[in-house]
Amino acid sequence: MFDTVILSIFALFILVILLYVGIRLYEKKVPIWQYPIALLYGLWLLFFVLFGSLFSAEYTQAIDPIDDHYTFISGQYRLTFLIFFLLYHIALGALWIRRAKLPPLPLVLCLCFLYIGIVINVFIASQLLGEGNRQEELASFPIFSNFIAILVIGRTLMAIREELSTKTFKNKWLNKLNRLLSFRFTVLTWSVLLVFPVFVLLTLLLMIFGQDYDAVVKGFTETTTWKFSQHDHPPYLDHRGHYLCTVAACGSPRLVKPLRWGRRGGRPIIVNRQLQIANAFEELIADFSPKLHHFLRTNYDKYGYNLSQKIKAPWAANMTYLLMKPLEWFFLLCLYTFCLSPERKIERQYQF
């Protein structure tokens, strides 16, 4: 429950940031062609956060692999990654909108945060693209984010020399710092030199809140089934039960019309035509696009089981059966549209 609340707040925060960035892009008269890129980035980010939240189990837990998935970032060190994640995106947004029109110190810090974020993104993508457990959909976001960050850095550095050499500040210390950055060394040089000190300083600050000095490394290694994982997980649990269509098949026989016994996950179940059609449609999706099937199945497994646990009385099963009817007709339409032998595919579902 707590994780769900945190996730909802974080998703809302991202939406607010997207709205703010959109307003700032408009106020700063950013070229119109950049709006779709910003929107795409925001939606991709939201997808990464929401889809990534499905991978939440720690390596010490025994899980049902159908319902749950192991996290690719250790929960114990998630605060460290969250802080770097926020600083990276604040810096990315600031440089995207303002380019070089920032005071010298914030400008250098923004570049430092981007460098650190790019490196972390590389490791996140590598973690998600391991040999044993691959999640290309999730890995696509840090790769895309790095591409955008590199473009923003390049555009900023091209504008930076002229901007700093002509800029003056009312504060004499800012003017001295500006001259130091723009004449003795380039901003690029300063940002590269300060990456490690900034990283160390942030790490020390995070240690005050209980994070380890090597939290970034342990965030990847204190996991299981992923590329950099250093732990084994307990044996998988047996799958716990049936889903909505299966529950519906346990309703009143005169309504749901059970056909025969079948087998699912090694257990006998009552099979009716609605259940056969739903499973045949799932098989069709798996043949058409394994990635789409994985995404749909992951979400269905996550929420379908919890909902099915609340359907215990026959009247509830009957109601589920009736509510599933429109979907059943849609599934049947798809099967008859894209399958050469739809009835044969339907009939062979859940055979002993």
Side-chain angles (χ1 to χ4, degrees), residues 225-243:
T225 74
W226 302 99
K227 184 176 181 63
F228 302 119
S229 299
Q230 298 293 315
H231 295 279
D232 294 324
H233 58 79
Y236 285 124
L237 300 175
D238 291 333
H239 187 51
R240 295 175 290 181
H242 307 318
Y243 290 78

Side-chain angles (χ1 to χ4, degrees), residues 40-49 85 88-89 92 121 124-125 128 135-148:
L40 175 63
Y41 188 92
L43 294 176
W44 213 328
L45 170 60
L46 197 59
F47 166 79
F48 177 78
V49 171
F85 181 87
Y88 168 80
H89 280 92
L92 183 64
N121 277 343
I124 290 176
L128 292 168
Q135 289 294 331
E136 292 91 346
E137 296 88 350
L138 277 174
S140 64
F141 173 73
I143 294 172
F144 176 67
S145 181
N146 274 3
F147 175 72
I148 295 296

Side-chain angles (χ1 to χ4, degrees), residues 29-257:
K29 298 181 179 179
V30 172
I32 194 69
W33 61 267
Q34 293 187 22
Y35 283 58
I37 299 176
L39 178 61
L40 175 63
Y41 188 92
L43 294 176
W44 213 328
L45 170 60
L46 197 59
F47 166 79
F48 177 78
V49 171
L50 295 177
F51 190 29
S53 68
L54 300 177
F55 300 81
S56 58
E58 297 297 327
Y59 71 89
T60 55
Q61 296 176 240
I63 66 169
D64 176 351
I66 294 180
D67 291 341
D68 300 304
H69 306 277
Y70 285 112
T71 181
F72 53 91
I73 299 294
S74 173
Q76 184 178 352
Y77 306 105
R78 206 164 286 161
L79 175 62
T80 294
F81 285 84
L82 178 61
I83 295 301
F84 282 117
F85 181 87
L86 291 175
L87 290 175
Y88 168 80
H89 280 92
I90 290 171
L92 183 64
L95 293 183
W96 190 336
I97 295 170
R98 301 293 300 273
R99 300 178 71 175
K101 297 178 181 179
L102 286 171
L105 188 56
L107 183 59
V108 170
L109 288 176
C110 282
L111 288 171
C112 290
F113 295 149
L114 286 187
Y115 300 153
I116 295 170
I118 287 172
V119 173
I120 292 176
N121 277 343
V122 169
F123 281 97
I124 290 176
S126 300
Q127 177 87 319
L128 292 168
L129 294 175
E131 295 179 1
N133 193 1
R134 295 178 64 87
Q135 289 294 331
E136 292 91 346
E137 296 88 350
L138 277 174
S140 64
F141 173 73
I143 294 172
F144 176 67
S145 181
N146 274 3
F147 175 72
I148 295 296
I150 291 170
L151 290 179
V152 168
I153 290 171
R155 190 185 68 162
T156 301
L157 292 177
M158 285 191 294
I160 218 165
R161 183 77 180 186
E162 179 182 353
E163 187 69 30
L164 286 179
S165 60
T166 59
K167 183 183 292 185
T168 58
F169 297 91
K170 294 180 180 179
N171 188 294
K172 65 177 183 178
W173 295 107
L174 284 178
N175 270 323
K176 287 183 179 180
L177 184 59
N178 181 57
R179 286 196 298 270
L180 178 66
L181 289 175
S182 58
F183 294 113
R184 291 194 60 186
F185 292 98
T186 65
V187 171
L188 174 61
T189 304
W190 276 105
S191 62
V192 171
L193 289 175
L194 289 176
V195 166
F196 185 70
V198 168
F199 179 79
V200 171
L201 179 61
L202 286 173
T203 300
L204 292 174
L205 291 174
L206 286 165
M207 288 175 66
I208 298 175
F209 297 94
Q211 299 292 287
D212 290 344
Y213 69 92
D214 55 351
V216 173
V217 175
K218 286 184 175 179
F220 293 112
T221 59
E222 297 292 300
T223 58
T224 186
T225 74
W226 302 99
K227 184 176 181 63
F228 302 119
S229 299
Q230 298 293 315
H231 295 279
D232 294 324
H233 58 79
Y236 285 124
L237 300 175
D238 291 333
H239 187 51
R240 295 175 290 181
H242 307 318
Y243 290 78
L244 296 181
C245 285
T246 313
V247 171
C250 298
S252 302
R254 292 183 61 183
L255 177 65
V256 303
K257 298 180 176 62

